[in-house]
């Protein structure tokens, strides 16, 4: 019985081990590994990041605002219904002959329908309406009868004559420019997303490089320590140098742990920004080379004026400031509005009678507003608007100066960075070769631990410096792309199909 129990227990343990192994293999199989280049990371960010989602919806908001404005310029068709409009009550009525009041019973139902076409006129600020309406009135008490009233055609036109601010006219100039700016701002936001993706890419790439360096240093220090122990036995190395290597090994172990933590954090930040699933593991490939581009300041500056939202933003500010002055002046003095109407109407006991030989109806009204005494309030508003316009002009001048300086600084940074990358790449190669040489000499007993540590430090710094210079190069390059909305590698303007890629 005991033997049987032991066999059963062993079988149960093997079953548990098999289940655990299968579960582990299943977890490994569900994990996906992505090997991404810098271009891949930028593309993922532009398509899947939260920042990309926000940028698209900000543009969509601007798009529908522009669509709403365009709708104001088109005729609108409106149907108005009052069905039913029933009233059963006691009302007070005055006798027109005697002037006496009396109470009468009101028992009536009125149903009406009207169809109208309305058109805003941007050039004049007026509004034209054409309508057609029909009403049926049913009286139930004291006598029961029905009556119809029709207006087959009725036209009204309202027009500010002078002293009125034409908002639609100014919107016709400003709103298209706002929509143009919204498109360019969206493209600039995409370049901002690329810049942020570059930062996350090189944060993780640096962390990867740090971990490789830490692991490499730990393995080499461990090997050098074994060599040092043999040399210490024959008296060719001091005990202090041996202890220094032992300390270096401990520090190298700590560096590996710290590098692992830093890499995990950078890995998480990158995946979070790209909206990647938790089960995905990312490995990065550093750019093997940087393109040699000849970019001149004058070209960049001209592109920054013609391709980006900079000039659109300035134009909008100028138009808004100018319209504010015009509005203040319009509200200051005399204002008048003209209202005209013409139509045909008729009444009858039947539907057909209400459309038989309709009679014409005309009306004209002129309304005026004349300020007599406002204690200088209107003049003050005009002066405030003019002062605001002058301030906007000065701010625009300052923006232009700062923009020129910003373009010049970015061009200088980029032009210098290509050489920086070449120098740091060469320094990295030399530092690697020097470290290999020092390691061989240390094994032969020709150099000290201090010289070995110095060579290792130089090699580590050179490797990290090269990654840093690559980061700077691509950061400066995409800053120039944002400043110009121009791809200097492909030599074409940056654009997108808004209808397919953004609005859907």
């Amino acid at each position: 019985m005991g033997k049987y129990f032991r066999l059963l227990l062993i079988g149960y343990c093997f079953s548990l081990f098999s289940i655990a192994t299968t579960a582990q293999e299943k977890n490994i199989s569900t994990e996906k590994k992505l090997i991404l280049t810098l271009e891949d990371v930028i593309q993922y960010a532009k398509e899947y990041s939260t920042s990309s989602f926000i940028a698209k919806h900000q543009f969509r908001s601007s798009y529908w605002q522009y669509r709403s404005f365009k709708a104001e310029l088109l005729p609108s068709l409106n149907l108005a219904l009052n069905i039913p409009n029933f009233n059963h009550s006691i009302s007070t009525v005055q006798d027109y002959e005697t002037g006496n009041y009396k109470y009468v019973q009101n028992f009536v139902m009125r149903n009406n329908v009207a169809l109208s076409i309305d058109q805003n006129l941007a050039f004049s600020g007026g509004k034209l309406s054409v309508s057609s309406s029909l009403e049926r009135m049913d009286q139930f008490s004291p006598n029961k009868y029905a009556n119809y009233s029709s207006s087959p055609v009725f036209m009204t036109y309202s027009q500010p004559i002078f002293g009125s601010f034409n908002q639609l006219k100014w919107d016709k100039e400003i709103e298209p420019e706002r929509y143009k700016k919204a498109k360019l701002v969206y493209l600039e936001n995409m370049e901002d997303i690329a810049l942020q993706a570059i930062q996350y890419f090189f944060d993780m790439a640096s962390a990867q490089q740090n971990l490789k360096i830490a692991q490499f240093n730990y393995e080499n220090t461990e090997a050098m320590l074994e060599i040092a122990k043999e040399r210490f036995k024959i008296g060719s190395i001091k005990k202090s140098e041996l202890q220094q290597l032992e300390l270096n090994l401990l520090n190298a172990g700590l560096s590996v742990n710290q590098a692992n933590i830093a890499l995990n954090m950078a890995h998480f930040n990158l995946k979070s920004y790209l909206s990647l699933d938790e089960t995905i593991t990312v490995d990065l490939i550093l750019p093997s080379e940087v393109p040699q581009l000849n970019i001149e300041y004058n070209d960049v500056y001209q592109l920054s004026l013609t391709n980006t939202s900079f000039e659109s933003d300035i134009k909008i500010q100028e138009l808004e400031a100018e319209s504010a002055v015009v509005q203040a002046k319009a509200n200051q003095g005399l204002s008048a509005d003209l209202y005209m109407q013409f139509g045909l109407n008729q009444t009858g006991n039947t539907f057909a009678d209400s459309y038989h030989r309709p009679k014409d109806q005309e009306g004209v009204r002129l309304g005026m507003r004349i300020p007599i005494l406002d204690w200088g309030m209107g003049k003050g508003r005009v002066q405030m608007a003019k002062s605001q316009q002058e301030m906007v002009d000065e701010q625009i001048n300052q923006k232009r100066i700062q923009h020129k300086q910003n373009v010049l600084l970015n061009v200088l940074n980029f032009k210098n960075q290509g050489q920086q990358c070449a120098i740091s790449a060469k320094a990295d190669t030399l530092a690697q070769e020097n470290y290999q040489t020092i390691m061989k000499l240390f094994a032969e007993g020709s150099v000290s631990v201090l010289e070995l540590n110095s060579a290792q430090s130089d090699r580590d710094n050179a490797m990290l410096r090269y990654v840093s210079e690559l980061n700077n190069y691509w950061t400066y390059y995409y800053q120039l792309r944002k400043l110009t909305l121009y791809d200097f590698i492909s030599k074409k303007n940056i654009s997108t199909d808004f209808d397919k890629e953004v609005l859907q």
Side-chain angles (χ1 to χ4, degrees), residues 85-102:
N85 182 5
F86 177 75
N87 186 5
H88 184 198
S89 62
I90 296 177
S91 304
T92 304
V93 178
Q94 185 179 26
D95 192 311
Y96 71 92
E97 293 181 348
T98 65
N100 296 329
Y101 287 91
K102 62 179 180 179

Side-chain angles (χ1 to χ4, degrees), residues 32-49 197-198 200-206 208 212 266-277 280-288 470 474:
K32 299 178 182 178
K33 187 171 184 179
L34 285 178
I35 301 176
L36 302 178
T37 63
L38 177 61
E39 291 77 10
D40 295 333
V41 169
I42 291 173
Q43 191 62 32
Y44 266 88
K46 288 184 176 182
E47 290 183 10
Y48 305 114
S49 69
I198 289 169
Y200 281 121
F201 176 91
F202 280 102
D203 284 348
M204 182 175 167
S206 296
Q208 279 184 339
K212 290 179 182 178
H267 185 240
F268 172 81
N269 289 338
L270 178 64
K271 290 203 303 180
S272 177
Y273 187 70
L274 301 183
S275 300
L276 295 177
D277 191 81
I280 294 176
T281 301
V282 175
D283 194 13
L284 302 180
I285 301 176
L286 281 172
S288 57
L470 283 177
W474 289 107

Side-chain angles (χ1 to χ4, degrees), residues 241-393:
E241 291 183 300
L242 180 63
Q243 291 174 333
Q244 181 63 51
L245 278 175
E246 290 175 342
L247 179 60
N248 288 351
L249 184 62
L250 293 175
N251 290 333
L254 292 173
S255 296
V256 170
N257 293 334
Q258 292 172 348
N260 260 315
I261 294 172
L263 178 58
N264 288 334
M265 181 61 69
H267 185 240
F268 172 81
N269 289 338
L270 178 64
K271 290 203 303 180
S272 177
Y273 187 70
L274 301 183
S275 300
L276 295 177
D277 191 81
E278 294 180 356
T279 59
I280 294 176
T281 301
V282 175
D283 194 13
L284 302 180
I285 301 176
L286 281 172
S288 57
E289 58 183 14
V290 295
Q292 300 300 315
L293 301 173
N294 184 23
I295 298 178
E296 298 299 332
Y297 165 76
N298 289 333
D299 297 333
V300 174
Y301 181 67
Q302 289 303 318
L303 287 169
S304 73
L305 297 181
T306 57
N307 276 15
T308 69
S309 66
F310 181 77
E311 284 296 327
S312 288
D313 183 57
I314 286 177
K315 186 175 181 180
I316 290 170
Q317 291 182 55
E318 290 175 336
L319 288 171
E320 288 178 339
E322 185 180 354
S323 69
V325 173
V326 173
Q327 185 175 14
K329 288 180 177 180
N331 295 336
Q332 180 186 16
L334 170 68
S335 63
D337 295 295
L338 178 64
Y339 179 82
M340 298 182 294
Q341 62 180 15
F342 172 81
L344 301 173
N345 62 0
Q346 184 60 279
T347 61
N349 294 328
T350 65
F351 175 80
D353 289 342
S354 66
Y355 282 93
H356 180 66
R357 300 179 67 180
K359 299 176 181 179
D360 61 306
Q361 178 180 344
E362 302 88 13
V364 177
R365 184 178 73 246
L366 178 63
M368 302 180 69
R369 177 183 175 276
I370 306 173
I372 298 174
L373 182 63
D374 67 352
W375 307 101
M377 183 172 61
K379 182 179 179 181
R381 288 174 176 170
V382 172
Q383 294 302 318
M384 287 172 59
K386 287 182 176 179
S387 177
Q388 180 68 24
Q389 186 180 30
E390 291 174 1
M391 185 175 68
V392 168
D393 290 340

Side-chain angles (χ1 to χ4, degrees), residues 55-65 502-504:
K56 288 179 180 179
H57 281 274
Q58 286 176 338
F59 173 75
R60 288 173 184 173
S61 176
S62 299
Y63 168 78
W64 286 110
Q65 179 181 345
V502 185
L503 294 176
Q504 289 185 352

